[in-house]
Amino acid sequence: MKRILGIFLSILIAFSCMSVAYAVKPDKNDVSDYPVILVPGYSSSPLFLTKDDGTVEQVWGVDMDEIKNQVFTHIAELGLGLGALGAGEAKYIGETVGKAVVEMYGVLAYNPDGTSVNNIATRFQSAQECNWAALAEAYPDGEFRPEKEVMAEVSNYVGEENIYVFFTDFRQFASDCAADLDRLIQNVKAYTGKDKVNLISISHGGQVTGTYLSLYGYKNDVNNAVMIVPALGGAGFAYDAISETAILDEVTLLKFIEHGMMSETDYNWLVRANELGFLDDIIDYLIPYAKQIIGYWGSVWDFIPSDKLDSCLDMLDKNESAPLIEKTEAFHKNIMANYSEAFKKCQSLGMNISIIAGTGTNIVTGLDENSDAIITTKAATGAKCAPMGKRFSDGYVSTGNVCTDRTHNHVSPSMEIDASYAYLPENTWFIDGLYHGMEIMDKYTTDLFLKLLIPNEIIDVHSDPAFPQFRASSNPAYAVFGTFSKSSDGYLSSKDTEYIVTNVSAKYPVRIVNISTDGVDLLFSAKTSTLLQPGESAVYKVKGEIPEVSLVRCAVTISYILEGSVTPVGERVLDYTIMNGDNVEYDEDNPYCDVDYMQAIRDIIPSQTAEILKKLGLLDFVNMFYNFVRQLVTILKNLIMMFK
């Protein structure tokens, strides 16, 4: 039972901050000499309790690497060993884990008014104490150095002695965290003799940074601020916890874990062959216990999406929680609703502010919205997003009023995102398929945040063709990546006569079985069953008529076999927008349409048959064969047309 408790506790905690190493070595040039301050993800700061007798005890400081190892090591065992749980067992496990959580971390609880029950604070506050090199020397095992893989990349350029870690009581309101950040910035400036700092923030750190810029940006103490997968507009898990309505998306959860450990589809079989719905029952029993601890944390209430806030505030006692309610409403009204204006004021002072967000994924729990699995794309960026499973209809152009320059194309190739509504349309990058906290896993994303963080130059989405506003992730778990040879990533025109497929796996050879299209009839000619070693690419000649229209979505499906993998058969669908003529007319009466990926085999066979194939782990294989047949039909049609 202790092992099971450890697994569930690990999953619960690990949602908020996960990162894994992936080597990347971009060119080193034009490096800023400003110190770098890391504003890390949620729960990264160790917390210490001062007891009545004056003694001090560490009460929070989970080793996240160990947490991740537990999750990754035992998730398969969890799926197989507990898959047949009934309601009684779920209740027993949920309540047992819940009681253990309260016993371990009940000391962290807040009062109904939004203040800490106990005298708890952080330990490291001065620049000297927070210096990365000093922490590495004092704690060589890695303790008290969050986001180690990300900062290892940064230290390659600026040196460990020029990096500082921001520690704060993450339970408190974002405005209080921002005040702590301002104090550290002033201390680092005085300690280093520099007049500015560079900020790199992740997840909750992004919300703290956004709040800092809103409240203290006028001081002009920041050179570059890079917010990666920021929780600027909140996080759905807070609403799930307060409302007690969490429902896991098990498929997204397993893919999230898969991407985090670079398992490269080794756990896909769990998705296909096991139903993990029992986790919902366990979480239902677990949440009330977790709520005893986090239910009045200021940060949790700052995390609640604004459109869910009123219904959650109604659950509070208006008298005993009056201070919490007042501060929460002030944050949502004065800070969260005005990021765009605040950031632009900072930019007018010469600050370079950038946002990197993940898109294209359902959320692990709760809200059915476009996200990076943890933070919705809208919350991270302010962008307008089509409902999950829908996209803007062909012909759609940007309609937001944050960027009113209609010569700028701020619509994603998938036609699911309109960045003209974003907090910073010219300074926000969207990575399709980037999971929360996986920025170090994706070479493109790593190169991007380094380029935004360490030079002195001002960079926007128009500055460098190598870093377009929209791009698909190259996480090794996707196995393959594809792009047309002449157009920017995500776009297609008549000048594209070649298609380049790359094996992004770090360990498996990939055999390309078939490439097919939806929304445009194209053929891809190359040696049959091309085998690509990790990092290798193949060039396919593209044949077919590309319509002389623009703003029309199409998709390319790459079918492959990952040789040596537990789950060898796979497909990746990549979105493109045709830009090859006049814009098609947009139907304002029908603003959205279904995400029209290539028709899957499940759409033409009985649902019961599809479920059986899924249970056997054969659905993807059958779907790949179906797409292969569709491609043969396209070839035959073209041959018939040639001889007519």
Side-chain angles (χ1 to χ4, degrees):
M1 177 55 68
K2 288 183 178 178
R3 195 176 191 183
I4 294 174
L5 297 182
I7 294 169
F8 276 100
L9 181 58
S10 297
I11 293 175
L12 179 69
I13 297 171
F15 279 159
S16 60
C17 42
M18 301 176 72
S19 58
V20 187
Y22 184 75
V24 57
K25 299 182 182 300
D27 294 334
K28 298 181 179 182
N29 53 29
D30 192 29
V31 177
S32 164
D33 62 353
Y34 291 119
V36 173
I37 296 178
L38 166 67
V39 189
Y42 201 53
S43 76
S44 294
S45 298
L47 298 178
F48 298 82
L49 168 68
T50 300
K51 300 179 181 179
D52 293 338
D53 61 4
T55 59
V56 177
E57 175 188 356
Q58 184 174 347
V59 292
W60 181 263
V62 177
D63 184 337
M64 291 311 301
D65 288 333
E66 179 58 30
I67 290 293
K68 288 180 287 187
N69 288 338
Q70 282 198 50
V71 173
F72 298 152
T73 300
H74 298 301
I75 187 66
E77 172 189 329
L78 181 65
L80 291 174
L82 302 180
L85 281 177
E89 290 87 348
K91 183 176 186 293
Y92 172 71
I93 292 176
E95 291 184 346
T96 303
V97 173
K99 291 173 183 176
V101 169
V102 172
E103 181 179 350
M104 293 170 64
Y105 298 114
V107 68
L108 299 173
Y110 262 34
N111 295 305
D113 64 355
T115 60
S116 182
V117 172
N118 296 291
N119 184 11
I120 293 175
T122 56
R123 174 177 173 182
F124 309 104
Q125 297 184 6
S126 70
Q128 188 172 3
E129 292 173 318
C130 297
N131 180 262
W132 191 271
L135 289 167
E137 182 177 357
Y139 305 98
D141 60 353
E143 190 177 7
F144 307 136
R145 281 182 290 152
E147 315 291 354
K148 290 190 290 291
E149 295 82 8
V150 170
M151 300 318 291
E153 296 296 335
V154 176
S155 69
N156 286 335
Y157 296 85
V158 303
E160 291 187 348
E161 68 279 5
N162 293 314
I163 296 174
Y164 299 83
V165 183
F166 171 62
F167 295 103
T168 189
D169 186 343
F170 55 86
R171 301 172 302 159
Q172 63 187 353
F173 294 96
S175 57
D176 296 323
C177 294
D180 290 344
L181 179 56
D182 180 54
R183 282 191 288 272
L184 178 62
I185 289 173
Q186 304 311 318
N187 201 268
V188 169
K189 285 174 55 184
Y191 184 69
T192 61
K194 301 295 183 180
D195 63 332
K196 293 180 185 293
V197 301
N198 289 331
L199 301 177
I200 178 170
S201 59
I202 299 172
S203 190
H204 173 242
Q207 188 182 68
V208 173
T209 297
T211 305
Y212 163 81
L213 293 171
S214 299
L215 296 175
Y216 303 99
Y218 68 91
K219 294 185 176 183
N220 200 14
D221 288 332
V222 174
N223 178 49
N224 296 332
V226 182
M227 293 174 274
I228 305 173
V229 293
L232 286 164
F237 83 85
Y239 170 73
D240 298 336
I242 297 300
S243 63
E244 301 184 27
T245 57
I247 299 176
L248 278 178
D249 180 336
E250 291 83 8
V251 172
T252 301
L253 170 61
L254 287 175
K255 288 183 178 178
F256 182 78
I257 294 171
E258 176 181 278
H259 280 238
M261 69 180 300
M262 292 180 67
S263 64
E264 302 190 27
T265 75
D266 286 350
Y267 288 137
N268 270 346
W269 64 278
L270 272 175
V271 177
R272 301 172 190 180
N274 288 275
E275 296 295 334
L276 301 182
F278 68 90
L279 289 173
D280 288 331
D281 296 329
I282 294 174
I283 288 175
D284 284 343
Y285 293 109
L286 173 61
I287 282 182
Y289 292 93
K291 193 174 176 181
Q292 292 179 34
I293 304 171
I294 70 174
Y296 298 113
W297 286 6
S299 57
V300 168
W301 286 90
D302 285 346
F303 271 148
I304 294 175
S306 291
D307 61 344
K308 307 287 186 182
L309 183 62
D310 288 344
S311 62
C312 290
L313 289 176
D314 287 342
M315 302 177 189
L316 296 174
D317 183 288
K318 297 300 185 288
N319 293 318
E320 64 177 5
S321 294
L324 184 154
I325 294 171
E326 180 181 3
K327 207 161 186 178
T328 298
E329 290 180 332
F331 174 77
H332 283 79
K333 179 180 179 180
N334 300 327
I335 304 296
M336 191 181 284
N338 296 299
Y339 283 133
S340 185
E341 181 181 351
F343 294 165
K344 287 185 176 181
K345 285 182 179 178
C346 291
Q347 287 180 323
S348 70
L349 297 175
M351 300 183 208
N352 188 22
I353 304 173
S354 310
I355 296 172
I356 301 173
T359 74
T361 304
N362 207 344
I363 209 158
V364 167
T365 174
L367 306 175
D368 186 25
E369 296 184 30
N370 195 329
S371 76
D372 63 9
I374 300 295
I375 306 296
T376 67
T377 304
K378 180 180 179 180
T381 67
K384 178 181 179 180
C385 298
M388 203 63 186
K390 300 284 186 178
R391 67 172 179 89
F392 303 118
S393 298
D394 289 344
Y396 179 84
V397 295
S398 299
T399 58
N401 58 8
V402 183
C403 175
T404 57
D405 187 340
R406 296 312 178 208
T407 65
H408 292 177
N409 179 21
H410 288 302
V411 180
S412 66
S414 65
M415 292 192 174
E416 295 171 307
I417 300 166
D418 183 351
S420 67
Y421 290 82
Y423 310 128
L424 292 174
E426 315 302 329
N427 306 92
T428 302
W429 283 259
F430 300 80
I431 317 299
D432 188 23
L434 174 67
Y435 281 70
H436 192 78
M438 311 300 175
E439 58 281 340
I440 202 67
M441 294 280 301
D442 185 312
K443 184 179 186 302
Y444 172 81
T445 306
T446 304
D447 289 351
L448 174 59
F449 76 67
L450 289 171
K451 184 176 180 65
L452 296 170
L453 177 68
I454 59 177
N456 287 317
E457 61 181 320
I458 301 296
I459 301 171
D460 62 28
V461 297
H462 313 291
S463 300
D464 189 341
F467 295 97
Q469 182 158 43
F470 301 99
R471 212 263 195 181
S473 171
S474 55
N475 185 300
Y478 285 115
V480 294
F481 178 83
T483 184
F484 288 97
S485 57
K486 299 297 183 181
S487 296
S488 299
D489 281 325
Y491 296 93
L492 168 65
S493 72
S494 57
K495 63 184 179 182
D496 291 302
T497 58
E498 294 178 333
Y499 190 68
I500 304 168
V501 177
T502 301
N503 176 1
V504 296
S505 168
K507 59 182 179 179
Y508 295 124
V510 169
R511 187 171 298 278
I512 308 301
V513 177
N514 184 54
I515 305 175
S516 51
T517 58
D518 184 40
V520 61
D521 289 330
L522 298 178
L523 299 176
F524 300 83
S525 60
K527 188 183 298 182
T528 304
S529 298
T530 305
L531 182 66
L532 301 176
Q533 297 299 323
E536 286 188 342
S537 299
V539 177
Y540 291 77
K541 294 294 183 182
V542 178
K543 298 180 180 179
E545 291 295 325
I546 299 173
E548 294 183 357
V549 295
S550 289
L551 302 183
V552 174
R553 181 198 168 278
C554 64
V556 174
T557 298
I558 304 171
S559 303
Y560 61 85
I561 295 175
L562 204 60
E563 297 194 350
S565 170
V566 175
T567 317
V569 177
E571 291 187 332
R572 186 175 190 187
V573 180
L574 293 161
D575 299 304
Y576 298 90
T577 293
I578 299 173
M579 301 293 285
N580 198 46
D582 294 334
N583 295 350
V584 299
E585 185 176 354
Y586 174 64
D587 185 357
E588 294 184 358
D589 294 330
N590 297 286
Y592 302 112
C593 61
D594 292 335
V595 173
D596 50 349
Y597 291 130
M598 184 174 295
Q599 185 181 21
I601 189 68
R602 67 171 72 240
D603 294 331
I604 63 170
I605 62 176
S607 59
Q608 289 183 335
T609 303
E611 284 303 310
I612 292 172
L613 291 172
K614 179 181 177 182
K615 293 283 187 183
L616 295 173
L618 296 174
L619 185 60
D620 282 356
F621 178 78
V622 175
N623 188 59
M624 184 178 73
F625 178 75
Y626 169 66
N627 285 332
F628 181 69
V629 171
R630 289 182 72 234
Q631 187 74 350
L632 287 178
V633 171
T634 300
I635 294 173
L636 290 173
K637 284 170 59 179
N638 287 339
L639 287 174
I640 292 172
M641 292 297 295
M642 288 175 58
F643 289 102
K644 273 191 174 181

